[in-house]
Amino acid sequence: MNTRTYFEDVGAWPAAEGKPHLVWPAYVLGFILSLLLTFAAYGVVVYHVLPVSLTYVIAVLIGLAGIQFLVQLVFFFHLSAQHAARERLIILGGTIIIVGILLSGSIWIMFTLDQRMMPSATQMTHYMDTQAGI
Amino acid sequence: MNGIMNDMKKDSTTVFGFWVYLMTDFVLFASLFAVYAVLHANTFGGVGGKDIFNAPFVLIETIILLTSSFTTGLALLAAKAGKKWWVLILLLATAALGAAFVSLEFSEFSTLVLEGHRWTQSGFLSAYFTLVGTHGLHVLIGLLWMVALMIAIIRHGLTQPNMRKLLLFSLFWHFLDIIWIFIFTLVYLFGLL
């Protein structure tokens, strides 16, 4: 076992074939970008740096979190399209689909429950009274 | 030589298996996020996120956890260079930052409980304590793991099993950082809007 190449040998880091390994700048860059994205999100909420409506602020915050997610995957987890990382990418993709269904499905169902409820007897009578021809 | 190659193959399978575990943990956190999303407005006449979240406090927690993720990365680079003591120093720094994070979270929780905002108070507080507490528990387990890892490295040096443990730990720690980013945004920042 060679400590110099161990992380590459087990497929955790991209193998350096010919060109020098760029893991050191990746950590520094990932750290700086993560801090900047965190400060940006904080500034949007606490100092209201964006004079836009609440809906846009929410979209911006989700966008910033999404970018930070990608930044950390690339710079801290060293994920790439390389062969060793591909199987990890595939299972990550599948998990993101499950997580998406879980989150959007829960929110959608729980916040539209009223539309799927059977109306009460009084509501039903009122409905029939107001509908012509019933 | 063949034996070494087989060991590498075994380790790369272990790394993949650990990755699969992290993905199941990701689904666990997603369920807790879904519960929080559904219950966050049910304050039962009690406090909401705006009343109890302290923005600068949470920002400090976030910076601490981000920095600890960075020092983990540096520990891996030190291990790559074969510098055993640098690995230990950087792991110690990571552990100190992790301990600072856990104690900040503990003080946040104990303040809430002492002010009477317990998890039994409302759906919002139940979901909040469960989601943030589960993350905190993961960080605590990471701290114990780090102690065991440092002892193993002191005793045996940067052997292959220790390199593997260090790599798996780094994945775990970066993963907790990512989960925290979503807690920071979806729980704290959304709560402060």
Side-chain angles (χ1 to χ4, degrees), chain A residues 62-131:
Chain A
I62 292 176
L64 287 171
I67 296 170
Q68 180 142 335
F69 180 55
L70 292 178
V71 162
Q72 298 209 3
L73 283 180
V74 172
F75 295 114
F76 289 168
F77 286 96
H78 314 292
L79 280 183
S80 65
Q82 221 194 19
H83 178 69
R86 202 171 299 149
E87 50 192 14
R88 272 175 290 151
L89 267 181
I90 290 168
I91 193 163
L92 173 69
T95 309
I96 288 174
I97 292 171
I98 293 172
V99 165
I101 294 171
L102 189 62
L103 281 174
S104 58
S106 303
I107 291 167
W108 171 57
I109 288 177
M110 293 312 287
F111 286 101
T112 54
L113 264 189
D114 53 328
Q115 295 166 18
R116 279 182 294 282
M117 293 294 209
M118 186 188 262
S120 68
T122 26
Q123 277 175 316
M124 198 67 112
T125 320
H126 175 73
Y127 176 75
M128 287 194 289
D129 286 347
T130 51
Q131 295 295 309

Side-chain angles (χ1 to χ4, degrees), chain B residues 78-95:
Chain B
K80 184 181 167 68
K83 295 195 166 74
K84 173 183 161 182
W85 289 102
W86 271 109
V87 175
L88 286 168
I89 289 167
L90 287 160
L91 276 180
L92 198 64
T94 311

